[in-house]
Amino acid sequence: MHADWIVTLAGLGISLLIIVVVVRSQRGEGAFRDRAAFFSAAIDDHDSTRFDEFVESGYALDLRDSEGNTALHLALYHQRDEAVRRLIARGADETLINKLGFTPADMAKLGSYERMLLNTARKLNPQGSWAYDGPAARESYNQLRRAHQRFYQPALTRTAVDNPNLRRLIVVLAVKLGRASSEEPLLELLRLWGDRQLAEDYLNCGSKALERGAERWARSHGYTIHRYGGTERPIRWGRF
């Protein structure tokens, strides 16, 4: 009798444990969905109704996402002017720092440089020459050359990671910009997503650091490097 009682209790305990775990998991997923919905509503430039409902139900204005961004970080990054005004009017904190070390105002600058990198890379053809808008491309090129390193480096990495279809042209643009301290992130991009074409770009661009990195990449992937004379390629370190 005593043994039967112990076994039954253990069985009930296991059943209860399973139920609790499942309920908690479902609640966690729901909270995640609600948080994503909150950020979507908070940066909506056209309709504030959903955002107002979230705030009135107790959501904090300075709720963070997984990257440490508040709604104000995201609204400024995405150029949602009306949402920015609404958030500031409600008292959103303009001084909070995300995981990149950026305030909301900093995220506006980061977003601007990311868009500039992307739009300028689109003006290149696959050979690395300028295919479109020569004067406009030159202006963007010069602005990116002057960009503060604190913003340029994360903008380069994020833009290349987030745009796989344009990744090579973004990297080619970065090579042509020839910014100091950008060689390490460029080598990391080669390591993570490199191919033969990108390695050849690095080998022929005139940067010793990128050349050495491309040589290591080639050896580790079973390629043999052949050197011979020829015309200079358009993808050169620090040259428009």
Side-chain angles (χ1 to χ4, degrees), residues 169-182:
L169 291 182
I170 293 165
V171 170
V172 166
L173 172 60
V175 171
K176 292 169 81 72
L177 286 165
R179 291 287 307 260
S181 304
S182 65

Side-chain angles (χ1 to χ4, degrees), residues 36-85:
F38 166 76
F39 285 117
S40 175
I43 66 172
D44 189 335
D45 250 359
H46 306 293
D47 182 9
S48 64
T49 305
R50 288 191 308 141
F51 171 68
D52 293 337
E53 290 172 353
F54 274 112
V55 174
E56 288 165 9
S57 68
Y59 275 73
L61 277 175
D62 296 319
L63 186 69
R64 306 282 193 133
D65 68 8
S66 60
E67 299 301 319
N69 294 306
T70 65
L72 188 57
H73 281 92
L74 298 174
L76 280 161
Y77 174 79
H78 290 290
Q79 297 182 303
R80 305 292 175 80
D81 296 339
E82 186 57 39
V84 169
R85 284 192 288 270

Side-chain angles (χ1 to χ4, degrees), residues 116 120 123 135-145 177:
M116 192 181 299
T120 308
K123 301 181 191 305
R138 170 72 76 171
E139 182 180 353
S140 297
Y141 176 90
N142 289 335
Q143 288 182 35
L144 288 167
R145 289 268 292 181
L177 286 165

Side-chain angles (χ1 to χ4, degrees), residues 158-177:
R158 286 162 56 100
T159 306
V161 170
D162 292 344
N163 297 275
N165 292 336
L166 285 170
R167 186 173 292 142
R168 177 176 173 266
L169 291 182
I170 293 165
V171 170
V172 166
L173 172 60
V175 171
K176 292 169 81 72
L177 286 165

